Amino acid sequence: MFTILLSLAILVCVPFIYKAKRNTKDVKVNTISIDQKDGLPARKKLNILHLSDLHLENISVSPEELYHLTKNQPVDIIALTGDFLDRKRNIPKLAGYLNALQKLKPAYGMYAVFGNHDYVLKEKDFQRLKRVLEENGCITLQNEHVQIETAAGPVNIIGIDDYSTNRSNITGSYQNLDNGYHLVLTHDPNIILDMKDVHFDYLLSGHFHGGQIHWPKPYHLVKMGKLVRMNMIKGLHYHHDKPFYISEGLGQTGVNIRVGSRPEVTFHQI
């Protein structure tokens, strides 16, 4: 009887696992448009390509496939919101993805913040990860900001470090900030709960993977902060009338499967 039940279980599970694995290759390309609400005359739109949670240990998209997914839209800014990897042996692999993104020729550059998985690395390996990013055309931000002059006016790219590992410093990130459009990059979106009185025009994040295994509900995310209990785990949301976006990420963590979620790359028009 046990053998029969085990055989039936395998027959049921194999197609399920096959489909869950195949879902990791089914990348959705989203376009989100954010209108300004400051009452000023309409400015030229900027196109931001946002990627999060590559998790190079479990990714089903090659650099070439990523390039072909993203090459048909002009790109002004590339924003990478953390969790590139958590094993040092995958650090060289990152360069291929960064080179593919550089082929898009972003008008105002590529910018990155780090996530909790990146900080699993030992310090010397983390510094190597940071160096690979910077040597391949990426500006890394750890509780700091840069201002860029664009055709749409000045944009402050504010990189707030990972909230879930207590590395965030909002005050430091905003120190000596000039006037301009405030674009925040961070990994864990729960930080917006601490930003009620902090101005930003738009915030990009990741961290939740859209649940990754979102069936019947992503109960496993409950430990990942208050936003989950507020049913804010993916997509565009507003908190105190300020917009923020949670990417479902491009890679997977733990096991390379997805159920009820899909890997994502997103173009944001601001």
Side-chain angles (χ1 to χ4, degrees), residues 8 11 22 49 70 74 84 92 119 218 222 247 270:
L8 287 172
L11 286 172
R22 191 174 60 187
L49 172 59
T70 55
F84 299 98
Y119 285 113
V222 171
S247 171
I270 64 170

Side-chain angles (χ1 to χ4, degrees), residues 95-116:
Y97 289 88
L98 297 174
N99 289 334
L101 293 173
Q102 283 287 37
K103 285 167 62 177
L104 300 174
K105 296 181 169 44
Y108 304 110
M110 179 161 55
Y111 303 84
V113 293
F114 297 101
N116 54 301

